């Protein structure tokens, strides 16, 4: 039997995901700054591209929170 769809904590889970994504982005930036001399241009580019994807993810998650807020009205 399928579990019922429990969305009672969606906003909280989304906020946690945003927080973790922001933390990962910041850690990647710090790593890149701390190891700039040791990193190849390719590695720097990979870090920057991954952070761009993280930014896109954050934007999408923020939209989901807005959608949740509208649904709960």
């Amino acid at each position: 039997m399928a579990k019922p769809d429990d969305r009672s904590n969606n906003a909280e889970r989304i906020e946690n995901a945003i927080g973790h994504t922001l933390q990962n982005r910041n850690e990647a930036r710090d790593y890149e700054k701390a190891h700039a001399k040791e990193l190849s241009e390719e590695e720097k580019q990979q870090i920057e591209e991954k952070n761009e994807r993280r930014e896109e993810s954050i934007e999408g998650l923020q939209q989901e929170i807005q959608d949740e807020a509208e649904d709960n009205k």
Side-chain angles (χ1 to χ4, degrees):
M1 185 170 197
K3 287 184 172 179
D5 190 14
D6 180 14
R7 296 177 180 234
S8 62
N9 65 345
N10 269 6
E12 181 181 339
R13 289 184 313 133
I14 294 168
E15 287 174 4
N16 286 336
I18 290 172
H20 287 120
T21 305
L22 287 169
Q23 182 178 356
N24 289 338
R25 181 202 61 191
N26 294 339
E27 288 174 3
R29 285 180 179 170
D30 292 344
Y31 179 85
E32 184 177 13
K33 286 179 185 176
H35 301 281
K37 293 180 182 178
E38 296 94 22
L39 295 173
S40 69
E41 287 303 315
E42 182 179 346
E43 290 169 321
K44 290 177 188 177
Q45 184 67 29
Q46 288 173 346
I47 291 170
E48 291 171 13
E49 288 173 357
K50 190 156 193 172
N51 274 346
E52 286 175 15
R53 291 191 298 272
R54 287 179 172 128
E55 292 291 337
E56 292 170 2
S57 176
I58 290 167
E59 289 174 13
L61 291 168
Q62 289 171 335
Q63 182 61 48
E64 284 187 47
I65 286 178
Q66 289 177 354
D67 293 346
E68 284 294 319
E70 290 174 11
D71 288 345
N72 289 332
K73 285 184 181 179

